[in-house]
């Protein structure tokens, strides 16, 4: 399991199962996942594990006891260990070590009690170690700086002991690898952008996509608060606002609530895309490009919901036609070499609180995705939920009888909002999953902007039109609370200055 579940949920697991049993259960679960076809590759990709530096090959690994060797050999290499050392191995452990090393996908060494045991085992492992060795350092402190310093000696082999892995969590190897990455010059700025679009880098196209979405969201909000219906809306419906009022006194407010909520989500999604492009792709973060790609591949195709609805909105189509080519230019190529600043020391309590925030953020992103899927299904099928009809004080059949085009018109807004919400939830989830790193201030600001835009618009319009059914707004209340708490807990970690502690940020 990743650090963002290991540390926040560890006290609960220890209380329920007991500390030793919880540790073994977690190791067995990870081993089971790795044993599945494609399991190791999937875990590496999903959790964005970095490759082991070439000069660390054979020098950076883990030392484990015989009792957990089988599962450790399957799990730890995926986490970043270059090899696994099992020991101490005595005469009674030979069968266990042989079984653990069979089918291995990494180097396995045996630290034996004497040369005779080593001779028995040499054919079954990749190496045997007898006695102590001055060129091997067994770490008992989870300090990242100590590990990096030890690995700076090319003659030194560095091994993490169970004490380190239990205290620091399974992400320790990844953190050491990232901390040792070389410091690079700052990334490009807007001053480097020429007037020739053919020379614009991918990150700038991504920024344009994000800004374009925010502008489109503001435009949609302005239309909704102004005329509400444009000429093509009136042509499709065959009526105007007065006609809608005659059909149902609450109908115009209902349309406004759908469209303002959609506009707020577009602004939120634009803020996330701008952050991914500026803070991620511009600095060579491959994960940011992948997050933008996956979210966009979910969001842009929702234009084709019209195939199941029957109503094509020209403005929605125009925005998609303009932004989609920019999106392709932003994600078509893998970003250049990653830019990295020197990390500052961050107290462990600050990181632990941020892991709770990360868990909440990923949970919220997944919840927003589920909500978007539900709203899309509702929009493409029954159109209304019970609280909608209670607010309108009518039923779908009466509205359909009053105007045959009214339900497809509302369904377009509802389903389109659901699709955009899925894209937003996926962006939040992937930023929480891949971008939660010390000093990545843009992650915090992008998520804050998205939270304000999405939640404030939804809650404000519902209260203004008096559509305040508690069960209807409960997901918004709950999601906003989780986002706010997650951002609060992660703020010191994500905003941690590379030059040291920002005195305005709490540490303890």
């Amino acid at each position: 399991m990743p650090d963002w579940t290991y540390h926040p949920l560890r006290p609960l697991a220890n209380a329920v199962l007991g500390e030793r049993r919880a540790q073994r259960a977690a190791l067995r679960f990870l081993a089971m996942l790795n044993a599945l076809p494609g399991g190791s590759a999937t875990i590496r990709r999903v959790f964005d594990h970095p490759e082991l530096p070439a000069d660390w090959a054979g020098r950076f690994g883990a030392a484990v006891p015989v009792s957990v060797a089988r599962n450790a050999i399957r799990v730890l290499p995926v986490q970043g260990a270059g090899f696994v050392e099992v020991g101490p191995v005595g005469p009674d452990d030979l069968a266990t070590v042989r079984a653990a090393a069979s089918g291995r996908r990494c180097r396995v060494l045996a630290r034996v009690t004497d040369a005779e045991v080593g001779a028995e085992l040499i054919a079954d492992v990749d190496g045997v170690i007898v006695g102590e060795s001055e060129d091997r350092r067994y770490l008992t402190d989870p300090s990242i700086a100590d590990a990096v310093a030890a690995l700076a000696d090319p003659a030194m082999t560095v091994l993490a002991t169970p004490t380190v892995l239990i205290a620091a969590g399974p992400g320790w190897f990844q953190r050491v690898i990232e901390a040792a990455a070389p410091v690079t010059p700052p990334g490009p700025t807007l001053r480097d952008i020429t007037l020739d679009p053919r020379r614009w880098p991918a990150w700038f196209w991504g920024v344009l996509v994000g800004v374009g979405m925010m502008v489109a969201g503001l435009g949609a909000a302005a239309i909704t608060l102004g005329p509400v219906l444009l000429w093509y809306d009136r042509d499709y419906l065959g009526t105007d606002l007065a006609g809608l009022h005659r059909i149902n006194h609450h109908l115009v407010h209902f349309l406004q609530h759908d469209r303002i909520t959609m506009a707020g989500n577009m602004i939120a999604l634009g803020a996330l895309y701008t952050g991914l492009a500026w803070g991620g792709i511009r600095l060579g973060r491959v994960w940011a490009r992948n997050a933008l790609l996956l979210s966009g591949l979910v969001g842009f195709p929702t234009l084709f919901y019209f195939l199941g609805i029957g109503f094509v909105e020209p403005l929605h189509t125009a925005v998609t036609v303009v932004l989609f080519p920019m999106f392709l230019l932003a994600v078509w190529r893998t970003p250049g070499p990653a830019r990295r600043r020197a990390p500052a020391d961050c107290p462990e309590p600050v990181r632990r609180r941020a892991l709770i925030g990360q868990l909440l953020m990923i949970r919220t992103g997944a919840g927003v995705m589920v909500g978007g899927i539900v709203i899309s299904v509702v929009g493409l099928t029954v159109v209304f939920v019970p609280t909608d009809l209670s607010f309108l004080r009518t039923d779908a059949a009466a509205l359909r009888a009053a105007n045959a085009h009214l339900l497809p018109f509302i369904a377009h807004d509802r389903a389109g909002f659901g699709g955009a919400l899925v894209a937003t939830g996926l962006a939040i989830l992937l930023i929480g999953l891949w971008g939660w790193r010390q000093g990545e201030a843009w992650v915090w600001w992008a998520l804050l902007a998205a939270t304000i835009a999405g939640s404030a618009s939804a809650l404000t319009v519902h209260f203004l039109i008096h559509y305040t059914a508690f069960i209807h707004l409960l997901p918004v209340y709950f999601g906003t609370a989780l986002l706010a708490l997650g951002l609060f807990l992660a703020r010191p970690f994500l905003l941690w200055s590379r030059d040291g502690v920002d005195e305005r940020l709490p540490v303890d």
Side-chain angles (χ1 to χ4, degrees):
M1 57 182 63
D3 281 2
W4 50 267
T5 57
Y6 176 81
H7 286 295
L9 301 181
R10 182 181 171 191
L12 177 62
N14 289 347
V16 173
L17 300 176
E19 185 173 0
R20 294 289 294 174
R21 188 177 297 175
Q23 292 168 5
R24 291 178 181 271
L27 191 61
R28 282 196 301 269
F29 178 70
L30 285 175
M32 180 188 69
L33 292 180
N34 280 279
L36 296 174
S40 297
T42 300
I43 290 173
R44 284 185 184 276
R45 182 172 294 274
V46 169
F47 296 105
D48 194 34
H49 290 168
E51 293 293 332
L52 190 69
D55 59 332
W56 288 8
R59 296 201 302 114
F60 187 39
V64 300
V66 174
S67 59
V68 298
R70 182 178 181 84
N71 291 328
I73 289 169
R74 284 151 180 76
V75 170
L76 296 180
V78 180
Q79 304 297 327
F83 66 92
V84 176
E85 178 186 295
V86 181
V89 180
D92 296 335
D93 301 319
L94 292 175
T96 301
V97 175
R98 288 190 181 110
S102 63
R104 60 190 178 276
R105 299 179 183 176
C106 71
R107 293 182 69 243
V108 174
L109 307 178
R111 181 162 50 85
V112 298
T113 54
D114 57 60
E116 292 183 3
V117 174
E120 289 282 337
L121 205 57
I122 189 64
D124 302 294
V125 295
D126 299 296
V128 170
I129 302 165
V130 182
E132 300 295 330
S133 176
E134 294 183 357
D135 62 352
R136 306 179 75 79
R137 180 174 176 184
Y138 296 88
L139 300 178
T140 56
D141 189 313
S143 168
I144 302 296
D146 287 352
V148 173
L151 286 160
D153 181 356
M156 183 65 67
T157 298
V158 178
L159 299 96
T161 61
T163 302
V164 169
L165 299 179
I166 291 171
W172 183 81
F173 290 103
Q174 180 174 354
R175 293 167 57 208
V176 172
I177 293 171
E178 291 180 349
V183 177
T184 56
T189 67
L190 292 176
R191 294 179 182 272
D192 301 313
I193 302 301
T194 67
L195 296 178
D196 184 357
R198 295 173 298 178
R199 301 175 63 86
W200 288 354
W203 67 264
F204 187 65
W205 287 111
V207 168
L208 291 179
V209 172
V211 172
M213 282 201 167
M214 289 190 282
V215 171
L218 291 171
I223 292 170
T224 304
L225 296 174
V228 184
L229 301 178
L230 295 179
W231 74 94
Y232 55 79
D233 296 324
R234 294 192 293 269
D235 290 344
Y236 178 76
L237 291 171
T239 188
D240 55 13
L241 288 183
L244 294 179
H245 277 298
R246 287 192 293 271
I247 293 173
N248 185 290
H249 182 66
H250 300 284
L251 191 53
V252 173
H253 281 164
F254 186 82
L255 292 175
Q256 286 179 312
H257 117 277
D258 261 358
R259 293 189 164 191
I260 285 293
T261 306
M262 173 65 172
N265 185 73
M266 290 176 66
I267 296 171
L269 190 57
L272 295 174
Y273 283 5
T274 302
L276 285 168
W278 177 262
I281 299 175
R282 182 179 66 93
L283 300 181
R285 310 285 195 264
V286 175
W287 72 262
R289 175 259 189 185
N290 293 339
L292 179 59
L293 172 63
L294 293 173
S295 177
L297 289 179
V298 169
F300 280 107
T302 60
L303 172 68
F304 296 101
Y305 277 172
F306 76 86
L307 296 174
I309 295 172
F311 173 59
V312 182
E313 186 187 47
L315 185 59
H316 184 180
T317 304
V319 170
T320 302
V321 168
V322 171
L323 294 183
F324 187 65
M326 297 181 184
F327 166 75
L328 291 179
L329 290 169
V331 300
W332 194 260
R333 291 189 295 270
T334 302
R339 311 275 180 166
R340 180 181 173 274
R341 297 175 298 177
D345 290 334
C346 179
E348 186 63 14
V350 172
R351 189 181 79 90
R352 295 287 179 92
R353 286 198 293 268
L355 291 174
I356 300 175
Q358 184 178 15
L359 175 61
L360 294 177
M361 198 61 60
I362 293 172
R363 158 66 183 83
T364 304
V368 171
M369 288 181 65
V370 172
I373 292 171
V374 171
I375 293 171
S376 291
V377 171
V378 169
L380 293 170
T381 54
V382 296
V383 182
F384 300 106
V385 295
T387 54
D388 295 334
L389 298 176
S390 297
F391 172 76
L392 292 169
R393 299 177 186 176
T394 187
D395 56 36
L399 294 174
R400 186 181 296 107
N403 188 315
H405 288 167
L406 189 54
L407 260 62
F409 184 80
I410 296 172
H412 168 270
D413 291 347
R414 185 62 56 91
F417 169 59
L421 203 60
V422 176
T424 302
L426 183 57
I428 292 173
L429 186 152
L430 294 178
I431 290 174
L433 183 64
W434 293 335
W436 220 255
R437 288 173 168 84
Q438 176 187 329
E440 296 286 353
W442 71 267
V443 168
W444 194 85
W445 288 110
L447 289 169
L448 177 65
T451 301
I452 293 173
S455 298
S457 61
L459 293 174
T460 300
V461 72
H462 277 85
F463 278 92
L464 286 177
I465 68 171
H466 304 292
Y467 185 0
T468 56
F470 179 76
I471 193 65
H472 182 74
L473 290 177
L474 181 59
V476 184
Y477 294 145
F478 189 62
T480 302
L482 289 183
L483 286 168
L485 180 58
L487 288 171
F488 172 77
L489 292 171
R491 183 175 183 268
F493 179 75
L494 293 176
L495 299 185
W496 198 264
S497 170
R498 67 190 178 99
D499 299 318
V501 178
D502 184 338
E503 293 181 355
R504 296 171 298 174
L505 304 180
V507 174
D508 298 322

